Amino acid sequence: MAGWADVDRHSFWAFHEAKDKPYRRIAYIKLGSDADAEDAVDKAFDYIMSRWQWMLGIEHPHQYAWAVLNSKIIDQQRARQRRAEPADIAPFEAILSDGADAYDYLTGTIHFYTAVRRLSERQRDAVILRYGLDYNTRDTALVMGIEEATVRSQLRLARNRLVHLLGIQSSPNEDRKVTT
């Protein structure tokens, strides 16, 4: 950054400020560990910083940054697999301690998340941001670096795929609904 113009330095830090929190949230959801999420996001921002001036000249820098983040998350998942850490069972223990239909809730949740994992990466990201993190379609689009219409389309495709994967019957009117 030492040789950067002030406008480039300010634009990078503005980008960092806008994307840091949502990137960390999505990384945590995908990785399930604060430490792994922090590591993946820090590596993503380091890489983005090293390419920032080049990114300013491309057509879709936010989309490129999203791809970098996903790449670093995948790298972190691979590193964790090599370390062979035991699975974090705290979420399961929390569900079971609740007591009310714990088994049904747990098996339903596992079935749903298994189906979500079978979506395309873009659909899965849109679903996680929109429904898991409660972002509206505008904010989801901003985080992913894509158009709002693309987010709505990905959510519609994801919904249709989940209906099929989960064996849910839906009415024709429900297929058209995607809330913003």
CSV table of all heavy atoms in Angstrom, one decimal, residues 58-110:
chain,number,residue,atom,x,y,z
A,58,ILE,N,-11.2,-3.9,-13.4
A,58,ILE,CA,-12.0,-5.0,-14.0
A,58,ILE,C,-13.5,-4.6,-13.9
A,58,ILE,O,-13.9,-3.8,-13.1
A,58,ILE,CB,-11.7,-6.4,-13.4
A,58,ILE,CG1,-12.1,-6.5,-11.9
A,58,ILE,CG2,-10.3,-6.8,-13.6
A,58,ILE,CD1,-12.0,-7.8,-11.3
A,59,GLU,N,-14.3,-5.3,-14.6
A,59,GLU,CA,-15.7,-5.0,-14.7
A,59,GLU,C,-16.5,-5.3,-13.5
A,59,GLU,O,-17.4,-4.6,-13.1
A,59,GLU,CB,-16.3,-5.7,-15.9
A,59,GLU,CG,-17.7,-5.3,-16.2
A,59,GLU,CD,-18.3,-5.9,-17.5
A,59,GLU,OE1,-17.5,-6.5,-18.3
A,59,GLU,OE2,-19.5,-5.8,-17.7
A,60,HIS,N,-16.2,-6.4,-12.8
A,60,HIS,CA,-16.9,-6.9,-11.6
A,60,HIS,C,-16.0,-7.2,-10.4
A,60,HIS,O,-15.8,-8.3,-10.1
A,60,HIS,CB,-17.8,-8.1,-11.9
A,60,HIS,CG,-18.8,-7.9,-13.0
A,60,HIS,ND1,-19.9,-7.1,-12.9
A,60,HIS,CD2,-18.8,-8.3,-14.3
A,60,HIS,CE1,-20.6,-7.1,-14.0
A,60,HIS,NE2,-19.9,-7.8,-14.9
A,61,PRO,N,-15.4,-6.1,-9.8
A,61,PRO,CA,-14.5,-6.4,-8.7
A,61,PRO,C,-15.1,-7.1,-7.5
A,61,PRO,O,-14.5,-7.9,-6.9
A,61,PRO,CB,-13.9,-5.0,-8.4
A,61,PRO,CG,-14.9,-4.1,-8.9
A,61,PRO,CD,-15.6,-4.7,-10.1
A,62,HIS,N,-16.4,-6.8,-7.2
A,62,HIS,CA,-17.1,-7.4,-6.1
A,62,HIS,C,-17.3,-8.9,-6.3
A,62,HIS,O,-17.2,-9.7,-5.4
A,62,HIS,CB,-18.4,-6.7,-5.7
A,62,HIS,CG,-18.1,-5.3,-5.2
A,62,HIS,ND1,-18.0,-5.0,-3.9
A,62,HIS,CD2,-18.0,-4.1,-5.9
A,62,HIS,CE1,-17.8,-3.7,-3.7
A,62,HIS,NE2,-17.8,-3.1,-4.9
A,63,GLN,N,-17.6,-9.2,-7.5
A,63,GLN,CA,-17.8,-10.6,-7.9
A,63,GLN,C,-16.5,-11.4,-7.8
A,63,GLN,O,-16.4,-12.5,-7.3
A,63,GLN,CB,-18.4,-10.7,-9.3
A,63,GLN,CG,-19.1,-12.0,-9.6
A,63,GLN,CD,-19.9,-11.9,-10.9
A,63,GLN,OE1,-19.9,-10.9,-11.6
A,63,GLN,NE2,-20.5,-13.0,-11.2
A,64,TYR,N,-15.4,-10.7,-8.2
A,64,TYR,CA,-14.1,-11.3,-8.1
A,64,TYR,C,-13.7,-11.5,-6.7
A,64,TYR,O,-13.2,-12.6,-6.3
A,64,TYR,CB,-13.1,-10.4,-8.8
A,64,TYR,CG,-11.7,-11.0,-8.8
A,64,TYR,CD1,-11.2,-12.0,-9.7
A,64,TYR,CD2,-10.8,-10.5,-7.8
A,64,TYR,CE1,-9.9,-12.5,-9.6
A,64,TYR,CE2,-9.5,-11.0,-7.8
A,64,TYR,CZ,-9.1,-12.0,-8.7
A,64,TYR,OH,-7.8,-12.5,-8.6
A,65,ALA,N,-14.0,-10.6,-5.8
A,65,ALA,CA,-13.7,-10.7,-4.4
A,65,ALA,C,-14.5,-11.8,-3.8
A,65,ALA,O,-13.9,-12.5,-2.9
A,65,ALA,CB,-14.0,-9.3,-3.7
A,66,TRP,N,-15.7,-12.0,-4.2
A,66,TRP,CA,-16.5,-13.1,-3.7
A,66,TRP,C,-15.9,-14.4,-4.0
A,66,TRP,O,-15.9,-15.3,-3.2
A,66,TRP,CB,-18.0,-12.9,-4.2
A,66,TRP,CG,-18.9,-14.0,-3.7
A,66,TRP,CD1,-19.4,-15.0,-4.3
A,66,TRP,CD2,-19.4,-14.1,-2.3
A,66,TRP,NE1,-20.2,-15.8,-3.5
A,66,TRP,CE2,-20.3,-15.2,-2.3
A,66,TRP,CE3,-19.3,-13.3,-1.2
A,66,TRP,CZ2,-20.9,-15.6,-1.1
A,66,TRP,CZ3,-20.0,-13.7,0.0
A,66,TRP,CH2,-20.8,-14.8,0.0
A,67,ALA,N,-15.4,-14.5,-5.3
A,67,ALA,CA,-14.8,-15.7,-5.7
A,67,ALA,C,-13.5,-16.0,-4.9
A,67,ALA,O,-13.2,-17.2,-4.5
A,67,ALA,CB,-14.5,-15.7,-7.2
A,68,VAL,N,-12.8,-15.0,-4.6
A,68,VAL,CA,-11.5,-15.1,-3.8
A,68,VAL,C,-11.9,-15.6,-2.4
A,68,VAL,O,-11.3,-16.6,-1.9
A,68,VAL,CB,-10.8,-13.8,-3.7
A,68,VAL,CG1,-9.7,-13.8,-2.6
A,68,VAL,CG2,-10.2,-13.4,-5.0
A,69,LEU,N,-12.9,-15.0,-1.8
A,69,LEU,CA,-13.4,-15.5,-0.5
A,69,LEU,C,-13.8,-17.0,-0.5
A,69,LEU,O,-13.3,-17.7,0.3
A,69,LEU,CB,-14.6,-14.7,0.0
A,69,LEU,CG,-15.2,-15.2,1.3
A,69,LEU,CD1,-14.2,-15.0,2.5
A,69,LEU,CD2,-16.5,-14.4,1.6
A,70,ASN,N,-14.5,-17.4,-1.5
A,70,ASN,CA,-14.9,-18.8,-1.6
A,70,ASN,C,-13.8,-19.7,-1.8
A,70,ASN,O,-13.7,-20.8,-1.2
A,70,ASN,CB,-16.0,-19.0,-2.6
A,70,ASN,CG,-17.4,-18.6,-2.2
A,70,ASN,OD1,-17.8,-19.1,-1.2
A,70,ASN,ND2,-18.0,-17.6,-2.8
A,71,SER,N,-12.8,-19.2,-2.5
A,71,SER,CA,-11.6,-20.0,-2.7
A,71,SER,C,-10.8,-20.2,-1.4
A,71,SER,O,-10.3,-21.3,-1.1
A,71,SER,CB,-10.7,-19.3,-3.7
A,71,SER,OG,-9.4,-19.9,-3.8
A,72,LYS,N,-10.7,-19.2,-0.6
A,72,LYS,CA,-10.0,-19.2,0.7
A,72,LYS,C,-10.8,-20.1,1.7
A,72,LYS,O,-10.2,-20.8,2.5
A,72,LYS,CB,-9.8,-17.8,1.3
A,72,LYS,CG,-8.9,-17.0,0.4
A,72,LYS,CD,-7.6,-17.6,0.0
A,72,LYS,CE,-6.8,-16.7,-0.9
A,72,LYS,NZ,-5.5,-17.4,-1.3
A,73,ILE,N,-12.1,-20.1,1.6
A,73,ILE,CA,-12.9,-20.9,2.5
A,73,ILE,C,-12.7,-22.4,2.1
A,73,ILE,O,-12.5,-23.2,3.0
A,73,ILE,CB,-14.4,-20.6,2.3
A,73,ILE,CG1,-14.7,-19.2,3.0
A,73,ILE,CG2,-15.3,-21.7,2.9
A,73,ILE,CD1,-16.1,-18.6,2.8
A,74,ILE,N,-12.6,-22.7,0.8
A,74,ILE,CA,-12.4,-24.1,0.4
A,74,ILE,C,-11.0,-24.5,0.8
A,74,ILE,O,-10.8,-25.6,1.3
A,74,ILE,CB,-12.5,-24.2,-1.2
A,74,ILE,CG1,-14.0,-24.1,-1.5
A,74,ILE,CG2,-11.9,-25.5,-1.7
A,74,ILE,CD1,-14.2,-23.9,-3.0
A,75,ASP,N,-10.0,-23.6,0.7
A,75,ASP,CA,-8.6,-23.9,1.2
A,75,ASP,C,-8.7,-24.2,2.7
A,75,ASP,O,-8.0,-25.2,3.1
A,75,ASP,CB,-7.7,-22.7,0.9
A,75,ASP,CG,-7.4,-22.5,-0.5
A,75,ASP,OD1,-7.7,-23.4,-1.4
A,75,ASP,OD2,-6.8,-21.4,-0.9
A,76,GLN,N,-9.4,-23.5,3.4
A,76,GLN,CA,-9.5,-23.7,4.9
A,76,GLN,C,-10.2,-25.0,5.2
A,76,GLN,O,-9.8,-25.7,6.1
A,76,GLN,CB,-10.3,-22.5,5.5
A,76,GLN,CG,-10.1,-22.5,7.0
A,76,GLN,CD,-8.7,-22.1,7.4
A,76,GLN,OE1,-7.9,-21.5,6.7
A,76,GLN,NE2,-8.3,-22.6,8.6
A,77,GLN,N,-11.2,-25.4,4.4
A,77,GLN,CA,-11.9,-26.7,4.6
A,77,GLN,C,-10.9,-27.8,4.3
A,77,GLN,O,-10.9,-28.8,5.1
A,77,GLN,CB,-13.1,-26.8,3.7
A,77,GLN,CG,-14.2,-25.9,4.1
A,77,GLN,CD,-15.3,-25.8,3.0
A,77,GLN,OE1,-15.1,-25.9,1.8
A,77,GLN,NE2,-16.6,-25.6,3.5
A,78,ARG,N,-10.1,-27.7,3.3
A,78,ARG,CA,-9.1,-28.7,3.0
A,78,ARG,C,-8.1,-28.8,4.0
A,78,ARG,O,-7.6,-29.9,4.4
A,78,ARG,CB,-8.5,-28.4,1.6
A,78,ARG,CG,-9.4,-28.6,0.5
A,78,ARG,CD,-8.8,-28.3,-0.9
A,78,ARG,NE,-9.7,-28.5,-2.0
A,78,ARG,CZ,-9.7,-27.8,-3.0
A,78,ARG,NH1,-8.8,-26.8,-3.2
A,78,ARG,NH2,-10.6,-28.1,-4.0
A,79,ALA,N,-7.6,-27.7,4.6
A,79,ALA,CA,-6.6,-27.7,5.6
A,79,ALA,C,-7.2,-28.4,6.9
A,79,ALA,O,-6.5,-29.1,7.5
A,79,ALA,CB,-6.2,-26.3,5.9
A,80,ARG,N,-8.4,-28.1,7.2
A,80,ARG,CA,-9.1,-28.7,8.3
A,80,ARG,C,-9.2,-30.2,8.1
A,80,ARG,O,-8.9,-31.0,9.1
A,80,ARG,CB,-10.4,-28.1,8.6
A,80,ARG,CG,-11.1,-28.7,9.8
A,80,ARG,CD,-12.4,-28.2,10.2
A,80,ARG,NE,-13.0,-27.4,9.1
A,80,ARG,CZ,-14.1,-26.7,9.3
A,80,ARG,NH1,-14.7,-26.7,10.4
A,80,ARG,NH2,-14.6,-26.1,8.2
A,81,GLN,N,-9.5,-30.7,6.9
A,81,GLN,CA,-9.6,-32.1,6.7
A,81,GLN,C,-8.2,-32.8,6.9
A,81,GLN,O,-8.1,-33.9,7.4
A,81,GLN,CB,-10.1,-32.4,5.3
A,81,GLN,CG,-11.6,-32.1,5.1
A,81,GLN,CD,-12.0,-32.1,3.7
A,81,GLN,OE1,-11.2,-32.2,2.7
A,81,GLN,NE2,-13.3,-32.1,3.5
A,82,ARG,N,-7.2,-32.1,6.5
A,82,ARG,CA,-5.8,-32.7,6.7
A,82,ARG,C,-5.5,-32.7,8.2
A,82,ARG,O,-4.8,-33.6,8.6
A,82,ARG,CB,-4.8,-31.8,6.0
A,82,ARG,CG,-4.7,-32.0,4.5
A,82,ARG,CD,-3.5,-31.4,3.8
A,82,ARG,NE,-3.5,-30.0,4.0
A,82,ARG,CZ,-4.0,-29.1,3.2
A,82,ARG,NH1,-4.7,-29.5,2.1
A,82,ARG,NH2,-3.9,-27.8,3.4
A,83,ARG,N,-6.0,-31.8,9.0
A,83,ARG,CA,-5.8,-31.8,10.4
A,83,ARG,C,-6.7,-32.8,11.1
A,83,ARG,O,-6.4,-33.2,12.3
A,83,ARG,CB,-6.0,-30.4,11.0
A,83,ARG,CG,-5.0,-29.4,10.6
A,83,ARG,CD,-5.2,-28.1,11.4
A,83,ARG,NE,-6.5,-27.6,11.5
A,83,ARG,CZ,-7.0,-26.5,10.8
A,83,ARG,NH1,-6.2,-25.9,9.9
A,83,ARG,NH2,-8.3,-26.1,11.0
A,84,ALA,N,-7.7,-33.3,10.5
A,84,ALA,CA,-8.7,-34.3,11.0
A,84,ALA,C,-9.2,-33.9,12.4
A,84,ALA,O,-9.1,-34.7,13.3
A,84,ALA,CB,-8.0,-35.6,11.0
A,85,GLU,N,-9.7,-32.7,12.5
A,85,GLU,CA,-10.3,-32.2,13.8
A,85,GLU,C,-11.6,-32.9,14.0
A,85,GLU,O,-12.4,-33.2,13.0
A,85,GLU,CB,-10.5,-30.7,13.7
A,85,GLU,CG,-9.2,-29.9,13.7
A,85,GLU,CD,-9.5,-28.4,13.6
A,85,GLU,OE1,-10.6,-28.0,13.5
A,85,GLU,OE2,-8.5,-27.7,13.5
A,86,PRO,N,-12.0,-33.2,15.2
A,86,PRO,CA,-13.3,-33.8,15.5
A,86,PRO,C,-14.4,-32.8,15.2
A,86,PRO,O,-14.2,-31.6,15.2
A,86,PRO,CB,-13.2,-34.1,17.0
A,86,PRO,CG,-12.2,-33.2,17.6
A,86,PRO,CD,-11.2,-33.0,16.4
A,87,ALA,N,-15.5,-33.3,14.9
A,87,ALA,CA,-16.7,-32.4,14.5
A,87,ALA,C,-17.1,-31.7,15.8
A,87,ALA,O,-17.1,-32.2,16.9
A,87,ALA,CB,-17.8,-33.3,14.0
A,88,ASP,N,-17.6,-30.4,15.6
A,88,ASP,CA,-18.1,-29.6,16.6
A,88,ASP,C,-19.6,-30.1,16.9
A,88,ASP,O,-20.4,-29.9,16.0
A,88,ASP,CB,-18.1,-28.2,16.2
A,88,ASP,CG,-18.7,-27.2,17.3
A,88,ASP,OD1,-18.9,-27.7,18.4
A,88,ASP,OD2,-18.8,-26.0,17.0
A,89,ILE,N,-19.8,-30.7,18.0
A,89,ILE,CA,-21.2,-31.2,18.3
A,89,ILE,C,-22.0,-30.3,19.2
A,89,ILE,O,-23.1,-30.6,19.6
A,89,ILE,CB,-21.1,-32.6,19.0
A,89,ILE,CG1,-20.3,-32.5,20.3
A,89,ILE,CG2,-20.4,-33.6,18.1
A,89,ILE,CD1,-20.5,-33.7,21.2
A,90,ALA,N,-21.5,-29.1,19.5
A,90,ALA,CA,-22.2,-28.1,20.3
A,90,ALA,C,-23.6,-27.8,19.8
A,90,ALA,O,-24.6,-27.8,20.6
A,90,ALA,CB,-21.4,-26.9,20.6
A,91,PRO,N,-23.7,-27.6,18.5
A,91,PRO,CA,-25.1,-27.3,18.0
A,91,PRO,C,-26.1,-28.4,18.2
A,91,PRO,O,-27.2,-28.2,18.5
A,91,PRO,CB,-24.9,-27.1,16.5
A,91,PRO,CG,-23.5,-26.7,16.3
A,91,PRO,CD,-22.8,-27.4,17.4
A,92,PHE,N,-25.6,-29.7,18.1
A,92,PHE,CA,-26.4,-30.8,18.3
A,92,PHE,C,-26.8,-30.9,19.8
A,92,PHE,O,-27.9,-31.2,20.2
A,92,PHE,CB,-25.8,-32.1,17.9
A,92,PHE,CG,-25.5,-32.1,16.4
A,92,PHE,CD1,-24.2,-32.0,15.9
A,92,PHE,CD2,-26.5,-32.2,15.5
A,92,PHE,CE1,-23.9,-32.0,14.6
A,92,PHE,CE2,-26.3,-32.2,14.1
A,92,PHE,CZ,-25.0,-32.1,13.7
A,93,GLU,N,-25.8,-30.7,20.7
A,93,GLU,CA,-26.1,-30.7,22.1
A,93,GLU,C,-27.2,-29.7,22.5
A,93,GLU,O,-28.0,-29.9,23.3
A,93,GLU,CB,-24.8,-30.5,22.9
A,93,GLU,CG,-23.9,-31.7,22.8
A,93,GLU,CD,-22.6,-31.5,23.5
A,93,GLU,OE1,-22.2,-30.3,23.7
A,93,GLU,OE2,-21.9,-32.5,23.7
A,94,ALA,N,-27.1,-28.5,21.9
A,94,ALA,CA,-28.0,-27.4,22.2
A,94,ALA,C,-29.4,-27.8,21.8
A,94,ALA,O,-30.4,-27.6,22.5
A,94,ALA,CB,-27.6,-26.1,21.5
A,95,ILE,N,-29.6,-28.4,20.6
A,95,ILE,CA,-30.9,-28.9,20.2
A,95,ILE,C,-31.4,-30.0,21.1
A,95,ILE,O,-32.6,-29.9,21.5
A,95,ILE,CB,-30.8,-29.4,18.7
A,95,ILE,CG1,-30.5,-28.3,17.8
A,95,ILE,CG2,-32.0,-30.2,18.3
A,95,ILE,CD1,-30.1,-28.7,16.4
A,96,LEU,N,-30.6,-30.9,21.5
A,96,LEU,CA,-31.0,-32.0,22.3
A,96,LEU,C,-31.4,-31.5,23.7
A,96,LEU,O,-32.3,-32.1,24.3
A,96,LEU,CB,-30.0,-33.1,22.4
A,96,LEU,CG,-29.7,-33.8,21.1
A,96,LEU,CD1,-28.6,-34.8,21.2
A,96,LEU,CD2,-31.0,-34.6,20.6
A,97,SER,N,-30.7,-30.5,24.2
A,97,SER,CA,-31.0,-30.0,25.6
A,97,SER,C,-32.4,-29.3,25.6
A,97,SER,O,-33.0,-29.1,26.6
A,97,SER,CB,-29.9,-29.1,26.1
A,97,SER,OG,-29.9,-27.9,25.3
A,98,ASP,N,-32.9,-28.8,24.4
A,98,ASP,CA,-34.2,-28.2,24.3
A,98,ASP,C,-35.3,-29.1,24.7
A,98,ASP,O,-36.3,-28.7,25.4
A,98,ASP,CB,-34.4,-27.6,22.9
A,98,ASP,CG,-35.5,-26.7,22.8
A,98,ASP,OD1,-36.1,-26.3,23.9
A,98,ASP,OD2,-35.9,-26.3,21.7
A,99,GLY,N,-35.2,-30.4,24.4
A,99,GLY,CA,-36.2,-31.3,24.8
A,99,GLY,C,-37.3,-31.6,23.9
A,99,GLY,O,-37.7,-32.8,23.8
A,100,ALA,N,-38.0,-30.6,23.4
A,100,ALA,CA,-39.3,-30.8,22.6
A,100,ALA,C,-39.0,-31.4,21.3
A,100,ALA,O,-38.4,-30.8,20.4
A,100,ALA,CB,-40.0,-29.5,22.5
A,101,ASP,N,-39.4,-32.7,21.0
A,101,ASP,CA,-39.2,-33.3,19.8
A,101,ASP,C,-37.8,-33.2,19.2
A,101,ASP,O,-37.6,-32.9,18.1
A,101,ASP,CB,-40.2,-32.8,18.7
A,101,ASP,CG,-41.6,-33.3,19.0
A,101,ASP,OD1,-41.8,-34.3,19.7
A,101,ASP,OD2,-42.5,-32.7,18.4
A,102,ALA,N,-36.8,-33.3,20.1
A,102,ALA,CA,-35.4,-33.1,19.7
A,102,ALA,C,-35.0,-34.0,18.6
A,102,ALA,O,-34.3,-33.6,17.7
A,102,ALA,CB,-34.5,-33.4,20.9
A,103,TYR,N,-35.4,-35.3,18.6
A,103,TYR,CA,-35.0,-36.2,17.5
A,103,TYR,C,-35.6,-35.8,16.2
A,103,TYR,O,-34.9,-35.7,15.2
A,103,TYR,CB,-35.4,-37.6,17.9
A,103,TYR,CG,-35.0,-38.6,16.8
A,103,TYR,CD1,-33.7,-39.0,16.7
A,103,TYR,CD2,-35.9,-39.1,15.9
A,103,TYR,CE1,-33.3,-39.9,15.7
A,103,TYR,CE2,-35.5,-39.9,14.9
A,103,TYR,CZ,-34.2,-40.3,14.8
A,103,TYR,OH,-33.8,-41.2,13.8
A,104,ASP,N,-36.9,-35.5,16.2
A,104,ASP,CA,-37.5,-35.0,14.9
A,104,ASP,C,-36.9,-33.8,14.4
A,104,ASP,O,-36.6,-33.6,13.2
A,104,ASP,CB,-39.0,-34.8,15.1
A,104,ASP,CG,-39.7,-36.2,15.3
A,104,ASP,OD1,-39.2,-37.2,14.9
A,104,ASP,OD2,-40.9,-36.1,15.8
A,105,TYR,N,-36.7,-32.8,15.3
A,105,TYR,CA,-36.1,-31.5,14.9
A,105,TYR,C,-34.7,-31.8,14.3
A,105,TYR,O,-34.3,-31.2,13.3
A,105,TYR,CB,-36.0,-30.6,16.1
A,105,TYR,CG,-35.5,-29.2,15.7
A,105,TYR,CD1,-36.2,-28.3,15.0
A,105,TYR,CD2,-34.2,-28.9,16.0
A,105,TYR,CE1,-35.7,-27.1,14.6
A,105,TYR,CE2,-33.6,-27.6,15.7
A,105,TYR,CZ,-34.4,-26.7,15.0
A,105,TYR,OH,-33.9,-25.5,14.6
A,106,LEU,N,-33.9,-32.6,15.0
A,106,LEU,CA,-32.5,-32.8,14.6
A,106,LEU,C,-32.5,-33.5,13.3
A,106,LEU,O,-31.7,-33.1,12.4
A,106,LEU,CB,-31.8,-33.7,15.7
A,106,LEU,CG,-30.3,-34.0,15.5
A,106,LEU,CD1,-29.5,-32.7,15.3
A,106,LEU,CD2,-29.8,-34.8,16.6
A,107,THR,N,-33.3,-34.6,13.1
A,107,THR,CA,-33.2,-35.3,11.8
A,107,THR,C,-33.8,-34.4,10.7
A,107,THR,O,-33.2,-34.5,9.6
A,107,THR,CB,-34.0,-36.6,11.9
A,107,THR,OG1,-35.4,-36.3,12.3
A,107,THR,CG2,-33.4,-37.6,12.8
A,108,GLY,N,-34.8,-33.6,11.0
A,108,GLY,CA,-35.3,-32.7,9.9
A,108,GLY,C,-34.2,-31.7,9.5
A,108,GLY,O,-34.1,-31.4,8.4
A,109,THR,N,-33.5,-31.1,10.5
A,109,THR,CA,-32.5,-30.2,10.3
A,109,THR,C,-31.4,-30.8,9.5
A,109,THR,O,-30.9,-30.2,8.5
A,109,THR,CB,-31.9,-29.6,11.6
A,109,THR,OG1,-33.0,-29.0,12.3
A,109,THR,CG2,-30.8,-28.6,11.3
A,110,ILE,N,-30.9,-32.0,9.8
A,110,ILE,CA,-29.9,-32.7,9.1
A,110,ILE,C,-30.3,-32.9,7.7
A,110,ILE,O,-29.6,-32.7,6.7
A,110,ILE,CB,-29.5,-34.0,9.8
A,110,ILE,CG1,-28.7,-33.6,11.1
A,110,ILE,CG2,-28.6,-34.8,8.9
A,110,ILE,CD1,-28.5,-34.8,12.0
